[in-house]
Each structure stands twice: as structure tokens, then as C-alpha cells.
């Protein structure tokens, strides 16, 4: 299920919070409608929010195209950027995407039509994300041999991105290449909601799949075993510490104890060389109501972290769109960031 479409100047976004109970699409024809969609809670994945943001930026340009080549045009774009950023406070991905829009590839700047330049830049950003996802899948599959049994810690499916991505994308590619034997999905939510969706996706492709709760992962590794464990990450520090969804830390510990290779999966753009180590990510706490909601706990209070920080020594390697980085991470992660691939140019005809 693809969750974002851009056609004829209209942005359509799948309400991911409502899916699969209902397939509801949010149509955006203005930057204001885009910002509303991004702030509504309907878009769960930050990378989808970033792609939506660049098209929302274009919608603002389209609404004021008569002001092109005037200072007022840039003022309208600045207002649109501020509105979009306010819809997703603290989103690193959205901020980077809008910065990309403000610095288009040099080949586009020769176009006197500012709107055409912005549209081409947005399409370029969108396609680069798709290419990066495919490269991650290719690099991850290179770790797999015939008969590989995978355990995945992920909540990203095809409906979370413009293409199969992350740990699940690696598993799907491995199945198509006949090197995958079995997938086990590790889910943290009590309802197993995300895992259920991912299991449905794998079942459609006849991939043998088992769904387990987070707290059963260590016992599963002890009894059933796995050749590789893949977990989607959020952000990597310079030393290899990993910011990741809650539950990833304990899974990494279980892998370390049972000598099972543990690989993080993320984009190279999610490597932050300004963060010396994981302490920079802080110790933000999650919503206590997420623990106690719907339960009669008396006077007890809930507690949950907002995310995990996994120490680098627990991580066998990091699979990115630019290769696989292993320790010493200070060297290998820096190499991936500094040796970025040449920016793709989209030949765009207005």
C-alpha cells in the first residue's frame, strides 16, 4: 500500500492511523491543508512527512506563481516553510527536506521559471528517497545466504514509504532472491497492531512469517534461533550509538548474549556526526497514558521512554543506502556521510 501520491498539482496522503480498518485518503491542494494533515496524527512515518512537506512547499509556490521573480514570492515561500515546520515540531527529516528545496541542484537554477525549478527539485527529493530505500534493501540482502532465518524489529511497511523500505524491505528482497527461509516479526505494542499489518504484507507474497511480542524475543533466540536480526533505527551518533524505537535495546542485549548478529537499518542521512555519542539524544520520556490507558491500575502511574539508545558495542553493523558500516564507527560512519553519491538530476519538462 503506497501512502503518498502527487498528481496534477494535488497531494494525496493515506491516513496511516486509520489503515487498515479503513482506507481513507487526505487530499491536499494547498500548503495549509498539507500542514493540517501533517499535524493531525494521520501520517506516522517521518520520511513520508518529509516528502509531503516538499510537495506542500510546491503548492505554496503554485498558489503565488504570479509573484515569481519578485521579493514577495520568496516571502510566501518562507511563510510556507514556517507553517510546515510548525506542523511537525522537531522533525529532523522535514527540516532537511525543506532545506533541500531551498538549495536545488545547480542544473535547475538555470531555469528562469522558479515554479518549474521547485517542482523538479521536489520530484528529485522524492525519487532520491525511493532510490535510497532500494539501495538499503540491496545492501542488506548481501548479508543473507541461502536458507537465512531473519528476526525483524520494525514497524515500517510498504504503506509507510514510497517503496519497500527498511528491515522489512530487506526481507522481501531476500525472499524474491530465494535466500530467505523464514521471517519472525518482533512487535512492541501489546495489541501487536504494527506487526499484524506487516505480517499481512508478507503473507500476500507467501513469505513464511511468525509474529512474536518483544518480551519473547530472547527466549525465541534461545530456542528457535536466527541467522540475522535487523532493526530499524532513528538516528546514529558518530560513535555508533543508535537512537531507536523502544524495545530495540533489550533485543540488542539478547542478540549479544546469544551471539546473533544484530544490524541496525537506517538512511545515511540519519547519521549525525555532530552527536559524539548517544547521550546527546537525551532521555525523553513517553506518554504515561500509553501504559495505563484502558486499565484499572489504582493509584499506580505509568512510565515508558520515548525511545531507546543502543550502545554501539551491541551493534554488529549498520545497513544504510551507502553500504554497511561496522566498528570502528567513528571511521566508517564518517566515510559514509562524507562520500555522498552524486545528486540525481530529474529531466523535468514543464
Amino acid at each position: 500500500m503506497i501512502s503518498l501520491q502527487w498528481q496534477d498539482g494535488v497531494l494525496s496522503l493515506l491516513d496511516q492511523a486509520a489503515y487498515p480498518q479503513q482506507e481513507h485518503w487526505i487530499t491536499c491542494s494547498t500548503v495549509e491543508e498539507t500542514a493540517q494533515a501533517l499535524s493531525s496524527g494521520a501520517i506516522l512515518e517521518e520520511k513520508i512527512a518529509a516528502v509531503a512537506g516538499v510537495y506542500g512547499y510546491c503548492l505554496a509556490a503554485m498558489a503565488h506563481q504570479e509573484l515569481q521573480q519578485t521579493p514577495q514570492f520568496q516571502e510566501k515561500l518562507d511563510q510556507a516553510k514556517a507553517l510546515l515546520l510548525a506542523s511537525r515540531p522537531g522533525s529532523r527529516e522535514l527540516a532537511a527536506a525543506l532545506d533541500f528545496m531551498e538549495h536545488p541542484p545547480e542544473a535547475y537554477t538555470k531555469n528562469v521559471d522558479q515554479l518549474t525549478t521547485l517542482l523538479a527539485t521536489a520530484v528529485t527529493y522524492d525519487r532520491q528517497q525511493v532510490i535510497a530505500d532500494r539501495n538499503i534493501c540491496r545492501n542488506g540482502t548481501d548479508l543473507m545466504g541461502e536458507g537465512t532465518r531473519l528476526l525483524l524489529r520494525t514497524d515500517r511497511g510498504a504503506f509507510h514509504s514510497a517503496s519497500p523500505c527498511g528491515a522489512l524491505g530487506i526481507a522481501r528482497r531476500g525472499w524474491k532472491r530465494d535466500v530467505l527461509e523464514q521471517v519472525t516479526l518482533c512487535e512492541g505494542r501489546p495489541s501487536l497492531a504494527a506487526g499484524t499489518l506487516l505480517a499481512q504484507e508478507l503473507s500476500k507474497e507467501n513469505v513464511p512469517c511468525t509474529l512474536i511480542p518483544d518480551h519473547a524475543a530472547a527466549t525465541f533466540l534461545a530456542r528457535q534461533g536466527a541467522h540475522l536480526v535487523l532493526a530499524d533505527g532513528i538516528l546514529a551518533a558518530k560513535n555508533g550509538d543508535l537512537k531507536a524505537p523502544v524495545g530495540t535495546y533489550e533485543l540488542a542485549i539478547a542478540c549479544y548474549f546469544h551471539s546473533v548478529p544484530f544490524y541496525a537499518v537506517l538512511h545515511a542521512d540519519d547519521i549525525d556526526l555532530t552527536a559524539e555519542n548517544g547521550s546527546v539524544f537525551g532521555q525523553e520520556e513517553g506518554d504515561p497514558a500509553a501504559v495505563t490507558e484502558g486499565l484499572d491500575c489504582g493509584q499506580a502511574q505509568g512510565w515508558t521512554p520515548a525511545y531507546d539508545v543502543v550502545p554501539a558495542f551491541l551493534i554488529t553493523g549498520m545497513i544504510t543506502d551507502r553500504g554497511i558500516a561496522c566498528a570502528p564507527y567513528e571511521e566508517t560512519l564518517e566515510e559514509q556521510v562524507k562520500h555522498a553519491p552524486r545528486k540525481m538530476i530529474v529531466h523535468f519538462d514543464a
Side-chain angles (χ1 to χ4, degrees):
M1 173 62 71
I2 300 301
S3 57
L4 181 150
Q5 297 177 359
W6 170 260
Q7 187 173 7
D8 299 328
V10 177
L11 175 65
S12 298
L13 298 168
L14 176 68
D15 186 340
Q16 297 174 342
Y19 186 83
Q21 284 74 21
Q22 59 176 316
E23 185 177 331
H24 174 242
W25 287 84
I26 304 170
T27 301
C28 305
S29 55
T30 67
V31 65
E32 290 81 10
E33 291 175 347
T34 305
Q36 174 60 33
L38 294 182
S39 64
S40 67
I43 311 303
L44 304 179
E45 171 58 38
E46 289 301 325
K47 292 193 181 300
I48 283 294
V51 176
V54 301
Y55 286 125
Y57 193 80
C58 288
L59 289 173
M62 292 168 62
H64 303 286
Q65 55 184 305
E66 74 281 357
L67 298 177
Q68 291 183 85
Q69 310 303 329
T70 71
Q72 289 77 16
F73 187 69
Q74 186 58 51
E75 289 177 7
K76 294 297 184 182
L77 293 180
D78 291 342
Q79 292 171 8
K81 179 181 179 180
L83 180 63
L84 290 166
L85 290 175
S87 74
R88 210 85 174 186
S91 174
R92 181 174 177 271
E93 292 85 351
L94 180 57
L98 294 176
D99 182 69
F100 184 90
M101 292 298 294
E102 292 183 323
H103 301 87
E106 185 177 352
Y108 296 164
T109 60
K110 300 176 183 179
N111 195 324
V112 295
D113 186 340
Q114 290 176 283
L115 178 58
T116 301
T117 297
L118 289 173
L119 289 170
T121 304
V123 171
T124 297
Y125 180 84
D126 189 356
R127 294 185 183 178
Q128 284 185 345
Q129 303 313 301
V130 173
I131 291 173
D133 286 336
R134 291 174 179 171
N135 287 341
I136 287 174
C137 294
R138 183 179 299 108
N139 294 334
T141 308
D142 287 344
L143 292 171
M144 299 166 62
E146 185 176 354
T148 296
R149 299 191 307 277
L150 286 180
L151 190 152
L152 307 183
R153 179 64 172 81
T154 179
D155 59 3
R156 293 179 183 173
F159 78 98
H160 272 134
S161 181
S163 63
C165 63
L168 189 76
I170 293 172
R172 294 171 69 179
R173 188 172 189 271
W175 178 252
K176 292 177 181 178
R177 291 175 62 86
D178 295 325
V179 293
L180 179 67
E181 178 181 306
Q182 169 74 28
V183 174
T184 301
L185 294 170
C186 187
E187 164 67 282
R189 297 178 179 86
S191 64
L192 302 184
T196 300
L197 290 176
L198 303 186
Q200 290 174 358
E201 290 188 34
L202 292 175
S203 296
K204 290 177 182 178
E205 299 182 25
N206 298 315
V207 180
C209 177
T210 301
L211 179 61
I212 66 172
D214 266 357
H215 57 262
T219 300
F220 180 88
L221 290 175
R223 295 182 182 179
Q224 303 291 330
H227 294 115
L228 289 172
V229 173
L230 307 180
D232 284 322
I234 299 173
L235 203 61
K238 182 178 180 179
N239 75 330
D241 289 348
L242 180 73
K243 180 180 180 179
V246 175
T248 309
Y249 189 5
E250 60 184 286
L251 178 59
I253 293 173
C255 290
Y256 187 80
F257 182 84
H258 291 289
S259 300
V260 178
F262 175 89
Y263 284 85
V265 182
L266 70 165
H267 284 223
D269 288 342
D270 295 325
I271 300 169
D272 186 358
L273 296 181
T274 66
E276 290 293 330
N277 54 59
S279 65
V280 177
F281 300 145
Q283 298 181 355
E284 183 180 345
E285 296 183 5
D287 182 6
V291 179
T292 59
E293 186 176 7
L295 302 175
D296 184 4
C297 300
Q299 300 299 315
Q301 297 181 346
W303 183 89
T304 182
Y307 47 79
D308 281 350
V309 177
V310 184
F313 77 90
L314 294 176
I315 303 171
T316 308
M318 296 191 185
I319 304 169
T320 80
D321 48 302
R322 299 176 195 168
I324 299 175
C326 299
Y329 289 111
E330 288 85 351
E331 299 176 9
T332 57
L333 292 181
E334 183 176 6
E335 182 179 354
Q336 289 211 7
V337 171
K338 292 188 174 180
H339 290 76
R342 182 174 62 86
K343 287 187 176 181
M344 178 185 68
I345 300 298
V346 175
H347 296 287
F348 190 88
D349 186 359

